[in-house]
Amino acid sequence: MTHRTRALSAFVLPLALCLFSCTRIGSETAVQASPESRPQEETEEAGFVPGMVRIKASEDLYHRLEGNGLRGGNPEMDAFLDEIGAESITPVFRDLDPRFAKRHHKAGLHLWFTVVFDKKLAVTRAFDAGKRIPGVDIIEKVPDIEAPKEQVVFASPLTLRGEGTGLLPGEPDDTRYREQWHLRNTEQVPGFLKGVDVNVLEAWSKGVTGSPDVIVAVLDGGVQTNHPDLEAHIWTNPNPKRTDEYGKDLHGFNFNTGVTRIDPDNHGTHVAGLIGAIRNNHLGVAGVAGGDGSDKSGVRIMSCQIFGEVNSPEAVLNAFIYAADNGAVIANNSWGTGPAPGPDMITESFKTAIDYFTDNAGCDDEGNQLESSPMKGGLAIFAAGNQDSEIWYNPGSYSRAVAVASVGQPKKPSTPITANGSTSPVPAVI
């Protein structure tokens, strides 16, 4: 069995949603919006961060912009920045680990910039105006990523049925395991179809319960790192680099605020628990990769906080780079922005970040697999969506990512079925 196969068989991950919109430079010129065009313009603005675009510069433009702030010695660029009322132009990928400078440069991370401008100006107008600038190879609107909202269906102990709820060989003794209908559905919630679950018992019966060699980066709200059902499975950075008034980046990083302090969040902690909550500890729930009860089992959770009171559009991009450079081989993403016109229709900056993680996780700066890593390359896992619809969602629809559907509890055949074969409503478990 290869390293990659072994790592993939170590866990099952549940997830959530996605994003889009990117344009390569063509010959179009900027279009000044007339009053009649404003309704269409407002529609085109939906789902994107106001007052912001991203650009990928040519090497020549990069050298002009580097360290020069808003004035890089390029007349066309300076005129564009003046036209849109630019307030700043800053690198997208920041505070990069110098150990991996070679692959950062190869991936073109240094070429990406965020342009912040007057929010009174429609993003579409700035987007159109930027297309004509020599040296701007790509310009894109910035998707507005929202933190997912939990839609969890609980099987209360009061509704547990006696039939089929006894522990089978290999099942954990966690006090609330029997309520985790997505792991083993014994019809704990009356009226729902018995046996509709993720079949995790088959993996557990083969001894596949999660390995500490596998580091899973949870790109989400902050994980409660001292949670009693998670603490032993939280990743600890063997070579912490970042230090601020809150200390070192021991368990991950808060990319939203740019500090080491991770703010515990219900959704981020919930997702981490689904993945790696300690099994067989007579406490709480059982994570699908939560180990076998011994000290040296179970995956390790790296908290990459990308959601908070105010969300930074650059947080998720930098989180992918950090995760790859610090040993994670799985990136779990339970979030998104909504539907897209088709597969692979995501912003180029997101492709850059996802590709970097996919190509470089578990490797040294030369691209060789690290002895400490179970995999060469990483897996970026996204949700297929929680809308109960057969429609493209991104980044899950990106061909280099893995999309995972949530698990619902379909009711018995007497329940009306919708056209796409699901019940309505279908509860999600993200």
Side-chain angles (χ1 to χ4, degrees):
M1 182 178 291
T2 64
H3 283 310
R4 176 177 285 271
T5 303
R6 173 164 57 84
L8 285 177
S9 64
F11 40 80
V12 182
L13 300 178
L15 311 141
L17 282 151
C18 309
L19 51 359
F20 95 103
S21 183
C22 154
T23 295
R24 289 191 174 277
I25 300 304
S27 59
E28 304 89 86
T29 57
V31 177
Q32 299 299 317
S34 64
E36 293 77 14
S37 71
R38 284 173 188 160
Q40 178 181 354
E41 196 172 73
E42 290 174 1
T43 300
E44 293 173 341
E45 302 290 291
F48 298 102
V49 178
M52 185 178 293
V53 291
R54 289 194 190 113
I55 64 170
K56 183 180 182 183
S58 66
E59 286 285 352
D60 179 67
L61 180 57
Y62 159 72
H63 289 298
R64 291 172 180 264
L65 293 174
E66 185 183 20
N68 290 320
L70 281 173
R71 293 295 172 268
N74 181 308
E76 294 90 348
M77 189 68 179
D78 290 349
F80 163 66
L81 297 173
D82 287 338
E83 178 183 349
I84 66 174
E87 299 171 6
S88 65
I89 178 167
T90 56
V92 170
F93 299 99
R94 301 181 295 275
D95 300 323
L96 298 175
D97 191 328
R99 293 177 300 166
F100 302 102
K102 181 178 179 179
R103 71 189 195 191
H104 293 159
H105 192 274
K106 181 180 178 181
L109 304 186
H110 61 295
L111 301 175
W112 284 97
F113 292 86
T114 295
V115 181
V116 177
F117 55 89
D118 187 348
K119 291 184 179 180
K120 296 177 182 178
L121 180 71
V123 174
T124 298
R125 294 177 66 184
F127 175 75
D128 289 337
K131 294 178 182 179
R132 67 176 185 260
I133 309 303
V136 176
D137 291 342
I138 296 172
I139 185 168
E140 58 187 24
K141 303 173 187 178
V142 178
D144 188 7
I145 302 174
E146 295 184 358
K149 308 226 176 1
E150 296 94 329
Q151 302 176 52
V152 181
V153 173
F154 295 98
S156 165
L158 297 178
T159 67
L160 288 175
R161 295 188 170 198
E163 180 186 355
T165 58
L167 293 180
L168 297 176
E171 289 191 293
D173 59 19
D174 302 83
T175 54
R176 303 193 68 175
Y177 161 71
R178 292 191 299 172
E179 298 174 53
Q180 295 181 274
W181 55 263
H182 60 288
L183 298 183
R184 182 187 172 208
N185 188 348
T186 60
E187 206 176 326
Q188 296 99 314
V189 179
F192 286 85
L193 192 60
K194 181 178 179 179
V196 177
D197 51 44
V198 298
N199 296 319
V200 73
L201 290 185
E202 293 185 21
W204 287 348
S205 68
K206 293 177 170 57
V208 180
T209 59
S211 166
D213 294 334
V214 177
I215 300 171
V216 181
V218 175
L219 281 65
D220 207 291
V223 176
Q224 183 184 340
T225 57
N226 64 349
H227 192 290
D229 213 13
L230 280 172
E231 189 171 12
H233 288 173
I234 298 297
W235 169 76
T236 298
N237 193 345
N239 300 296
K241 299 291 184 183
R242 300 167 186 252
T243 302
D244 54 33
E245 64 269 35
Y246 302 108
K248 296 184 177 182
D249 57 331
L250 290 177
H251 306 303
F253 195 72
N254 187 334
F255 296 92
N256 226 21
T257 59
V259 299
T260 58
R261 185 186 67 195
I262 296 171
D263 300 319
D265 168 81
N266 286 341
H267 190 268
T269 303
H270 169 61
V271 169
L274 287 172
I275 299 167
I278 303 166
R279 291 177 67 242
N280 283 323
N281 64 342
H282 306 283
L283 176 69
V285 298
V288 291
D292 58 14
S294 65
D295 293 337
K296 296 183 178 180
S297 67
V299 297
R300 296 300 181 255
I301 301 295
M302 174 191 292
S303 182
C304 294
Q305 184 173 347
I306 62 171
F307 298 126
E309 292 184 5
V310 178
N311 296 332
S312 166
E314 316 300 354
V316 63
L317 302 180
N318 284 279
F320 273 113
I321 311 306
Y322 178 93
D325 289 352
N326 284 279
V329 290
I330 303 294
N332 186 90
N333 301 271
S334 295
W335 48 263
T337 61
D344 292 332
M345 299 186 73
I346 66 175
T347 60
E348 288 293 329
S349 57
F350 268 83
K351 286 184 180 180
T352 297
I354 294 170
D355 287 350
Y356 181 89
F357 183 83
T358 303
D359 294 335
N360 296 293
C363 300
D364 62 21
D365 204 26
E366 300 295 327
N368 303 307
Q369 183 173 352
L370 294 168
E371 291 185 7
S372 59
S373 177
M375 292 169 57
K376 181 180 181 181
L379 287 180
I381 303 181
F382 291 86
N386 277 354
Q387 277 25 34
D388 189 24
S389 302
E390 292 189 11
I391 192 169
W392 291 109
Y393 279 87
N394 281 319
S397 58
Y398 180 39
S399 57
R400 298 203 72 194
V402 176
V404 178
S406 60
V407 176
Q409 286 188 315
K411 292 186 178 181
K412 292 184 175 181
S414 59
T415 302
I417 303 295
T418 62
N420 67 358
S422 63
T423 59
S424 182
V426 173
V429 289
I430 61 170

